[in-house]
Amino acid sequence: MERQYRNLLEQKNTENKEAFDYAHQKYKQLVWLLKSIDQRQQTVRLVTEAIVDYQQQFFDTGNLRPMTLRHIAEMAGVHESTVSRTTTSKYIQTPRGCFELKAFFSKGLQRAVGEDTSATVLKQSIREWIEEEDKCKPLSDQKITDRFQSEQGIKVSRRAVAKYRDELKIPASSKRKRFA
């Protein structure tokens, strides 16, 4: 079948012009489709490489840096909406496991000294502290806020702590309290 189409495209004779035009049109569509697939692969590769470069600290230590679409768009030389579309429903296999590319994006919170820290790291700390808490005296959102400030130099609001705790599906301290 392929040979017939190729012969038809090479002949350019006028006796079967309708068939030639049809085959030529389909060939152009094929070339366009192949170029589009190649361009998409290049974009996915550029964006993924930018994410891996930016989040190298995560691959080394497990700590996720705050990262926005704008950071990656600038590094990859594409628009933010392209980064958003490119990372949707795409996964990457890493030595630390398989992750959706969207998982590497998180807003940052300013530390008193040093680099910003990501919301993901804050959630991880909240989960750990609550798992280790005295169940008879669970940590309130305000106590968690104070602990971030005193131990890590991170200024985070009580409302943000409550939001992160809710996102982690951890109940409020009054619901976690156990009586001896």
Side-chain angles (χ1 to χ4, degrees):
M1 188 66 133
E2 179 185 339
R3 202 172 277 173
Q4 288 175 323
Y5 284 119
R6 187 168 288 168
N7 289 338
L8 187 59
L9 285 171
E10 290 171 355
Q11 286 176 0
K12 289 189 181 181
N13 62 20
T14 55
E15 65 189 50
N16 206 350
K17 180 154 176 42
E18 188 176 317
F20 171 78
D21 289 345
Y22 176 80
H24 189 66
Q25 176 189 3
K26 294 302 175 189
Y27 177 75
K28 281 180 163 180
Q29 289 174 348
L30 173 66
V31 169
W32 177 85
L33 178 64
L34 292 174
K35 282 182 182 178
S36 297
I37 291 170
D38 184 54
Q39 184 177 6
R40 182 174 175 85
Q41 287 175 334
Q42 287 177 19
T43 303
V44 170
R45 189 182 70 249
L46 277 173
V47 169
T48 303
E49 286 174 354
I51 291 170
V52 169
D53 288 347
Y54 194 86
Q55 291 293 5
Q56 191 59 50
Q57 178 180 340
F58 170 77
F59 299 108
D60 295 340
T61 65
N63 293 328
L64 202 60
R65 289 176 61 193
M67 183 177 79
T68 63
L69 293 174
R70 177 172 287 148
H71 288 125
I72 299 306
E74 289 172 0
M75 289 177 71
V78 296
H79 194 271
E80 289 177 45
S81 63
T82 302
V83 173
S84 178
R85 283 191 311 273
T86 301
T87 56
T88 299
S89 300
K90 305 288 185 318
Y91 293 81
I92 182 171
Q93 180 65 44
T94 73
R96 293 195 172 272
C98 186
F99 299 94
E100 185 175 13
L101 288 177
K102 289 268 188 210
F104 292 100
F105 293 92
S106 70
K107 294 183 177 163
L109 293 164
Q110 186 68 42
R111 285 182 179 229
V113 181
E115 283 191 10
D116 291 352
T117 191
S118 74
T120 307
V121 171
L122 295 181
K123 288 179 189 179
Q124 191 176 15
S125 293
I126 291 169
R127 181 183 306 280
E128 288 172 7
W129 291 342
I130 289 176
E131 286 173 358
E132 297 168 355
E133 73 186 357
D134 177 359
K135 299 304 177 193
C136 294
K137 291 183 182 180
L139 294 170
S140 68
D141 294 339
Q142 186 59 53
K143 286 180 184 173
I144 293 172
T145 299
D146 296 342
R147 191 168 174 181
F148 274 122
Q149 181 67 48
S150 65
E151 292 181 15
Q152 298 182 9
I154 300 171
K155 187 173 182 179
V156 59
S157 71
R158 183 203 54 77
R159 287 175 57 170
V161 168
K163 180 181 100 170
Y164 296 150
R165 182 183 43 72
D166 287 343
E167 288 174 5
L168 293 167
K169 300 190 180 354
I170 298 173
S173 60
S174 60
K175 302 228 185 328
R176 296 192 318 267
K177 187 170 185 167
R178 301 286 178 256
F179 298 97

